[in-house]
Amino acid sequence: MGVKQFIQKLEVDHEPGLTNTQLFLNNDDLLPVPEFKRAWKAWNFGAFWLADSFNINTWMIVSSMITAGLSWWQAWICVWIGYGIVGPFLVANARPGAIFHITFPAVARTSFGLFGSLWCTFNRAAMACIWYGVQAWIGGSCVKTMLRSMWLSVENIPNGLPESSGTNTRDFVCFFLFWLISLPALYPEMHKIRHLFTAKAIFAPTAGIIFFIWSIVKAKGVGPIIHQPGKLHGSDLAWQMIIAIMSCVSNMATLITNAPDFASRAHKPSDAVWPQIIGIPLGFSMVSFLGIIVSSSSTVIYGEPVWNPIDLLGKLLDGHPSGATRFGVWFISASFILAQLGTNIAANSVSAGCDLTALFPRFINIRRGGYVAALVGLVMCPWNLLKDSNSFTSYLSAYSVFLSSIAGVMISEYWIIRRGHYRVADLYHTGRDGWYWYTFGINWRAYAAYISGILINVVGFAGAVGRTVPLGATRVYQLSFFTGFGVSSLIYCLLNKFFPTPGSWQPFEEVDESNYKPRERDHVMEESDDDKKASAASVDVKEVA
């Protein structure tokens, strides 16, 4: 087999005779989603967010707020407000995906340009791969607890790894098992994995409620945390609540940015609106409340609050637990495995798959991209990143600065500059008369705005990682999502006002001016007879919520 034939074997399916430029700009997963794959209905989005909110990070999210001096109810209010803010931002950025059924990389082309968008997709893909490994490592701790509930001797597995590895045999094997059982879940296409989130939305909350009741019964009450008052007052209290609210917003910056990925599968645009606006704050607030009560009860049982639910389950296995206790720990830890798996797919593997598809469309589709993320997550040795968890968390939180600037440009492009007008066909060719060619495929206005949104937070970021900076810079950085988003949005609108682009500043109407209809592809029609009757792809220019 020659080199050319070998390369052709590696390519994803595409029409014969395409030029290199055409192969670089599109494949089946970059084109508008075919009608038969638009299977996400309103209840699917609701189940998705109920499922996504149930994970270890959400369970613990109020812990840092309470340890910083807030009372439990002040922290819980911050969670409601923070995730309540997230919903409208996410829906606003998801809208072009829901209307035109295109994913984040294609939507990014409309504002940053055909080639300029590659930097945004590369950034998002890199972070998704890193986070995949980190979340898989956390999932490994769930596997360890589940195995220990079956065989208590798991805790005593001898270590055969050198100290330089940064881990031990027991923890690595549990991590690898979680990584391995995740692989089959990466195979289904995006419109089918909604069933995984439906299952998670049933089992994970059920386990959480059981854990909640079990803890209260074992402690004979809800514990002292709900009775202790806040330790802050006046401006200190106000700023600490702002920081807490912004931590919730920053925690969701990645999902705000790539919101079009799942919205592109919406059955109709309205399905991606209210279920997300309501479901996000409701789901995250309820899970945070469970975390508060369980940790408060653990103070009575163990003399100190245990915020990590996996650590608390591990404590329940200490000594000589009864059979009922071991079964309860097994069921709850198994549900946490499912929860962690669903979160990793929603926030990381799908995002990496969509982004890598845009970077290497000739060779990678969403499915292959998900497996690339899994491979990177394995070889990057995520346990080494978590050795200094404070620094790692600071740097990852700071990454929301970059994402908020991207979101500011994208949302302004759709709602203010283009006002719903798209030319979907121009997203897939390099014609100089295309709307998204800009200057050699790069929109300098978007990059000027993007950099401006980052610069306003640079000094405060230096303070977050240990440098001495003025208090004003720190306050600006504490509002980093809003400052980054606001500055990038303002600069982008001003530049487009003085240097307008074709198709901008029209009356608002969500319409595809290209009347683009992607080619039909027989090989993707693998659904039921009813699905086979559906058009392989179409953009309904009149479809609005």
Side-chain angles (χ1 to χ4, degrees):
M1 181 185 295
V3 175
K4 185 176 181 181
Q5 288 78 14
F6 177 72
I7 292 175
Q8 289 176 342
K9 286 288 186 181
L10 295 178
E11 293 176 354
V12 298
D13 292 335
H14 58 76
E15 287 184 344
L18 297 180
T19 66
N20 287 331
T21 300
Q22 290 171 324
L23 289 172
F24 184 75
L25 287 178
N26 72 81
N27 67 17
D28 283 347
D29 285 340
L30 279 173
L31 293 171
V33 176
E35 186 174 343
F36 78 92
K37 291 185 177 181
R38 302 173 196 168
W40 283 60
K41 298 183 179 180
W43 71 271
N44 293 123
F45 281 98
F48 172 83
W49 285 112
L50 177 60
D52 188 70
S53 64
F54 198 96
N55 60 73
I56 295 173
N57 184 56
T58 307
W59 190 277
M60 297 172 58
I61 200 164
V62 294
S63 64
S64 61
M65 303 180 192
I66 292 177
T67 54
L70 299 181
S71 67
W72 78 269
W73 62 268
Q74 290 169 339
W76 200 40
I77 287 174
C78 292
V79 171
W80 274 103
I81 296 174
Y83 286 103
I85 291 171
V86 165
F89 278 98
L90 188 142
V91 167
N93 202 36
R95 187 66 177 181
I99 292 290
F100 301 104
H101 304 287
I102 53 179
T103 57
F104 161 71
V107 175
R109 290 177 182 178
T110 66
S111 49
F112 286 88
L114 296 177
F115 302 133
S117 63
L118 295 179
W119 172 249
C120 304
T121 53
F122 169 78
N123 273 267
R124 183 67 189 96
M127 288 306 299
C129 291
I130 292 172
W131 266 114
Y132 188 96
V134 171
Q135 294 284 9
W137 178 253
I138 297 172
S141 67
C142 303
V143 172
K144 180 178 70 174
T145 303
M146 186 187 74
L147 293 178
R148 190 179 165 211
S149 70
M150 295 186 287
W151 303 287
L152 295 175
S153 59
V154 165
E155 190 72 12
N156 303 318
I157 291 177
N159 180 34
L161 297 177
E163 187 175 348
S164 60
S165 68
T167 186
N168 57 60
T169 300
R170 179 199 62 205
D171 292 349
F172 178 78
V173 168
C174 292
F175 160 69
F176 184 76
L177 285 174
F178 180 87
W179 182 87
L180 197 64
I181 63 177
S182 299
L183 297 182
L186 305 181
Y187 189 82
E189 294 182 309
M190 278 182 64
H191 67 289
K192 293 181 180 178
I193 61 171
R194 69 190 190 279
H195 302 307
L196 171 65
F197 298 115
T198 301
K200 180 184 171 183
I202 295 171
F203 287 103
T206 300
I209 293 171
I210 291 173
F211 202 3
F212 171 83
I213 297 172
W214 190 9
S215 299
I216 293 176
V217 171
K218 193 173 182 65
K220 296 181 174 60
V222 293
I225 289 179
I226 65 167
H227 300 298
Q228 66 186 33
K231 302 174 184 176
L232 302 175
H233 305 280
S235 62
D236 291 338
L237 173 61
W239 273 106
Q240 191 57 53
M241 292 188 71
I242 289 172
I243 293 170
I245 291 169
M246 294 309 302
S247 69
C248 298
V249 178
S250 297
N251 186 49
M252 294 288 287
T254 54
L255 287 167
I256 290 174
T257 306
N258 71 293
D261 289 342
F262 286 103
S264 64
R265 269 67 183 170
H267 184 66
K268 60 180 185 292
S270 59
D271 291 337
V273 179
W274 289 111
Q276 303 200 92
I277 289 178
I278 296 173
I280 292 173
L282 183 63
F284 282 87
S285 298
M286 291 300 101
V287 175
S288 297
F289 180 75
L290 294 180
I292 292 170
I293 300 302
V294 171
S295 298
S296 180
S297 300
S298 71
T299 306
V300 176
I301 303 170
Y302 298 107
E304 61 179 358
V306 182
W307 290 101
N308 188 323
I310 299 302
D311 290 345
L312 181 54
L313 288 172
K315 283 182 174 292
L316 291 170
L317 294 175
D318 292 341
H320 302 282
S322 66
T325 296
R326 291 172 64 176
F327 176 77
V329 170
W330 177 87
F331 177 76
I332 295 171
S333 57
S335 299
F336 270 109
I337 291 172
L338 178 62
Q340 204 64 23
L341 171 62
T343 298
N344 219 7
I345 290 176
N348 300 315
S349 71
V350 167
S351 301
C354 291
D355 296 338
L356 291 171
T357 295
L359 295 174
F360 308 102
R362 186 173 181 176
F363 300 101
I364 293 182
N365 54 25
I366 293 176
R367 177 181 290 157
R368 290 185 182 183
Y371 284 110
V372 169
L375 181 61
V376 172
L378 175 65
V379 303
M380 63 177 271
C381 303
W383 55 87
N384 288 323
L385 290 177
L386 294 171
K387 282 182 178 179
D388 186 355
S389 59
N390 289 333
S391 297
F392 179 66
T393 302
S394 296
Y395 281 108
L396 285 182
S397 297
Y399 197 73
S400 67
V401 172
F402 300 90
L403 297 180
S404 66
S405 297
I406 293 174
V409 170
M410 291 176 64
I411 291 176
S412 298
E413 166 75 13
Y414 185 79
W415 293 97
I416 301 176
I417 308 303
R418 300 290 182 185
R419 300 184 182 181
H421 292 259
Y422 262 35
R423 275 194 181 177
V424 176
D426 289 355
L427 294 170
Y428 305 100
H429 72 79
T430 56
R432 302 307 186 262
D433 59 340
W435 278 11
Y436 314 117
W437 175 247
Y438 295 111
T439 305
F440 301 108
I442 300 173
N443 185 5
W444 63 268
R445 304 162 191 79
Y447 271 93
Y450 166 68
I451 294 171
S452 298
I454 294 173
L455 288 178
I456 194 173
N457 289 298
V458 165
V459 177
F461 170 64
V465 295
R467 300 297 179 89
T468 301
V469 299
L471 178 61
T474 300
R475 296 306 191 202
V476 169
Y477 178 72
Q478 288 169 344
L479 295 167
S480 59
F481 183 87
F482 288 133
T483 52
F485 183 96
V487 169
S488 64
S489 179
L490 177 62
I491 297 297
Y492 188 62
C493 290
L494 289 175
L495 289 175
N496 274 277
K497 197 68 176 177
F498 290 108
F499 305 97
T501 56
S504 59
W505 306 109
Q506 301 184 65
F508 187 86
E509 183 182 9
E510 293 176 306
V511 59
D512 176 12
E513 295 193 3
S514 65
N515 292 321
Y516 178 72
K517 293 189 176 181
R519 60 191 180 279
E520 290 194 4
R521 299 297 303 272
D522 293 336
H523 71 274
V524 300
M525 305 297 285
E526 300 174 349
E527 303 299 301
S528 65
D529 291 338
D530 290 338
D531 288 332
K532 290 181 179 180
K533 296 176 183 177
S535 170
S538 66
V539 176
D540 186 350
V541 300
K542 298 183 182 300
E543 183 184 31
V544 295

